[in-house]
Amino acid sequence: MSNKEQIQSHPQPVLSGYYPMYHATKTEEIDLFDLFVQLWKKKHWIVGCMLVTTLLSAVYAFTAKEQWTATAVVDVPNFDSMDNYYQGSRLLEGNVDRPTSSEEVANKLFKQFISQAGSYNELSKFISETNYFKKLVEGKNERDRANILNELIENVKLTKNQDNLIYTFSFSATTASEAKNLLEEYIDRVNANVSQVWYAQLMSQIKNKKQTLKNQMAAIKKVAEEQRQEEIKNIKMALTIAERTNIQKPEVTGLTQLDSNRLFLLGKDALSAMSESIEKQPLVLGDFYYDLQRQWINLDNFKVDSTDAKGFSYLKSPISPTNKDKPRKLLILVIGSLLGVCISVLFVFFNDAIKKRK
C-alpha cells in the first residue's frame, strides 16, 4: 500500500470547535439587467396598475370638496374714521397737562378690534348664524355640526406682521365668492360690535361727566349764596346798631379796621345803600365756576355719531380669490400615477425575490 493510500485510509480527525468555511455563492447578488427584464415582462400589469390608481385619484380630485381662501390686510384706523370718538374723548379729559393724542386713541381702538376679531366665541357665534353654515349642516346630527363648525373656525386665520401692527385676515369657504362675502361680513360685524361698545361707553361717560360738572357748579353757587346771605346778615345787624347809636354818617378814620363787628361805624346811610346793593347784585362765582360751565356746554352740544366709526383701516380689502387651496387636481393625478407605478414595481421586485428564494 502506497503512502497516498495510507493517508486516504486514515483521514485526519476533526478538531472540536472547528467548522469548515464555505464561500457564498454569487446567486444572491442583485442583477439589475434581470430586474429590468422582469419589469419589461410585466409592463402591461404596471401600466394597468398605474391607470387604476390614476383613475381613483381623478375621481377624488373631481369630487372632493373645494376650498377657497379670501384674505384682507388691516391696520390702525385713520383719523377720519375715529374723529367723532376722539373729539368726545378730548372733551371728557377737559384741561389736562398732557392730552391724549389721536395716535394713542387709534392704537387703543385697533387693539380692541383685533382682540374681539380673534375671539373664538365671537367667531363661533358668527359662523353658526350664517346661511353658509346652515346649508353645510342641513340634516346633520349634533356631533357632525360641531365638527364642521370647528373645522370652519380652524380655517380662519389672523396673523400679525412681526415688524408693525399690520394684521392679515383669511377666511375659507367652498367657493371664492362665499369666502370673500364671509370675510367682509365678519370684519364688518366685529367693527359694528366694537363701535357699539365704544360709543355706548362714550355716551355714558359724557352723561356722568355732565352730571359731575353740574353738581360742582351747584356746590359753588350754593357756597357763594351762603356767603352773600352771611354778608347781608352782618350789614343788617350793623345797620340796626347804627340806628340805635344814632350814627348817620361814617365815623371812621384811615386807621380803622372794618370787620363785621365795626361795620356800624359806616353809618346808617352807607349801610342802607350797601344792604340794597348786595341783595340785587349777581353772585360772584369766580373763574373756576365758568370753566366748569364751559365744559358742560361743550359736552351738552357734542353729538355722538358712530355712522362712519371704524376701529381699523384696510390696506387690502377682501377680494374673491383666484386660486383655490384644494383639491389640486393636477398634483393629485400626478401623485396617483406615481403611486400606481411604485406599487406595481415593488410587487414585481417582491415576486421575483420570492421565486429566486424558492
Side-chain angles (χ1 to χ4, degrees), residues 128-163:
S128 61
E129 293 175 356
T130 60
N131 293 328
Y132 172 74
F133 175 75
K134 292 176 181 178
K135 291 179 181 178
L136 289 179
V137 299
E138 187 175 0
K140 306 287 186 181
N141 56 41
E142 194 65 28
R143 182 176 180 180
D144 292 339
R145 290 168 64 93
N147 291 334
I148 294 174
L149 179 60
N150 288 332
E151 181 181 354
L152 293 176
I153 293 175
E154 290 176 357
N155 288 332
V156 179
K157 306 296 181 183
L158 179 59
T159 309
K160 180 182 181 296
N161 190 310
Q162 295 182 354
D163 300 329

Side-chain angles (χ1 to χ4, degrees), residues 184-200:
E184 280 184 336
E185 291 174 8
Y186 182 61
I187 292 177
D188 290 342
R189 171 164 174 166
V190 171
N191 182 72
N193 292 343
V194 174
S195 297
Q196 183 179 5
V197 173
W198 297 339
Y199 281 91

Side-chain angles (χ1 to χ4, degrees), residues 17-190:
Y18 172 77
Y19 300 94
M21 303 264 318
Y22 298 95
H23 294 287
T25 62
K26 296 184 179 181
T27 57
E28 296 180 0
E29 293 181 356
I30 298 176
D31 189 345
L32 294 178
F33 180 77
D34 183 56
L35 292 178
F36 283 122
V37 170
Q38 294 297 326
L39 293 177
W40 180 253
K41 289 181 179 179
K42 299 290 185 178
K43 59 181 180 294
H44 299 293
W45 192 86
I46 293 173
V47 172
C49 184
M50 182 188 69
L51 292 176
V52 170
T53 56
T54 303
L55 179 62
L56 292 176
S57 62
V59 171
Y60 171 76
F62 287 93
T63 58
K65 184 173 63 175
E66 295 183 350
Q67 178 175 300
W68 300 76
T69 300
T71 59
V73 182
V74 296
D75 197 0
V76 294
N78 53 47
F79 185 78
D80 293 338
S81 63
M82 63 165 205
D83 178 41
N84 184 261
Y85 181 86
Y86 176 68
Q87 296 300 333
S89 301
R90 285 290 295 111
L91 290 176
L92 286 172
E93 284 185 335
N95 298 326
V96 294
D97 296 334
R98 185 187 175 278
T100 303
S101 66
S102 59
E103 290 78 10
E104 291 174 330
V105 174
N107 289 333
K108 182 187 76 171
L109 299 183
F110 186 63
K111 183 178 180 181
Q112 294 177 2
F113 170 79
I114 292 298
S115 176
Q116 185 161 357
S119 169
Y120 179 91
N121 292 338
E122 184 66 26
L123 188 57
S124 174
K125 183 178 179 182
F126 167 76
I127 292 178
S128 61
E129 293 175 356
T130 60
N131 293 328
Y132 172 74
F133 175 75
K134 292 176 181 178
K135 291 179 181 178
L136 289 179
V137 299
E138 187 175 0
K140 306 287 186 181
N141 56 41
E142 194 65 28
R143 182 176 180 180
D144 292 339
R145 290 168 64 93
N147 291 334
I148 294 174
L149 179 60
N150 288 332
E151 181 181 354
L152 293 176
I153 293 175
E154 290 176 357
N155 288 332
V156 179
K157 306 296 181 183
L158 179 59
T159 309
K160 180 182 181 296
N161 190 310
Q162 295 182 354
D163 300 329
N164 46 48
L165 292 176
I166 296 175
Y167 282 79
T168 300
F169 274 101
S170 61
F171 213 112
S172 300
T174 54
T175 64
S177 59
E178 282 284 6
K180 172 183 175 294
N181 294 336
L182 287 172
L183 180 58
E184 280 184 336
E185 291 174 8
Y186 182 61
I187 292 177
D188 290 342
R189 171 164 174 166
V190 171

